[in-house]
Amino acid sequence: MNDTLFGRIIRREIPATIVYEDDDILGFKDIAPQAPVHVLFVPKGAVIPTLDDATPEQATLLGRLMLAAAGYARREGFARDGYRVVMNCREHAGQTVFHVHLHLLAGAPLGHFGTP
Ligand code: AMP
């Protein structure tokens, strides 16, 4: 159960800079930021390896990841300027941690999206 890198962060077995937590979701700074603000939002419960593994019963949880990111952006004051959320799925998207997570990127113009 939750035996992924992010599971270990959730259990506080390895350190991370945690910036958000509620009953279901943990938010922490990405260790290799791709923008001035780069936070990962992950579900704390049962592991969903990729978005492709998610079931209809997990729709609310996935939506709450989005709203956690949006709320964080609003509170931190960069919602007005804008931000990007990304969820990588498997090889072609470069997914490296198989515990579904939402990237929140912000803090500067982010450029064109999707260039290979
Ligand atoms: P993805 O490539 O979409 O699977 O995203 C995984 C992200 O996890 C990458 O952006 C990594 O930089 C990040 N990452 C890997 N190890 C850690 C860690 N120990 N703490 C925080 N972020 C990490």
Side-chain angles (χ1 to χ4, degrees), residues 24-67:
D24 301 315
I25 294 167
L26 191 72
F28 53 91
K29 292 189 179 178
D30 196 293
I31 204 167
Q34 304 298 308
V37 176
H38 188 170
V39 175
L40 302 174
F41 291 86
V42 308
K44 288 161 60 175
V47 172
I48 309 167
T50 79
L51 182 58
D52 187 50
D53 299 300
T55 64
E57 292 71 33
Q58 292 163 329
T60 300
L61 179 60
L62 292 171
R64 294 196 56 222
L65 283 180
M66 292 274 201
L67 293 179

Side-chain angles (χ1 to χ4, degrees), residues 59-101:
T60 300
L61 179 60
L62 292 171
R64 294 196 56 222
L65 283 180
M66 292 274 201
L67 293 179
Y72 179 80
R74 212 174 300 122
R75 284 191 301 280
E76 292 297 308
F78 52 81
R80 240 177 213 287
D81 285 336
Y83 54 86
R84 178 174 290 152
V85 292
V86 173
M87 189 174 279
N88 292 321
C89 181
R90 298 191 178 137
E91 286 82 355
H92 280 193
Q95 184 177 1
T96 57
V97 180
F98 290 84
H99 179 144
V100 93
H101 52 280

Side-chain angles (χ1 to χ4, degrees), residues 1-21:
M1 164 81 171
N2 236 339
D3 194 21
T4 66
L5 173 65
F6 292 167
R8 295 199 282 280
I9 289 175
I10 290 163
R11 293 194 296 273
R12 274 51 170 190
E13 292 168 5
I14 60 173
T17 304
I18 293 169
V19 297
Y20 176 82
E21 184 162 25

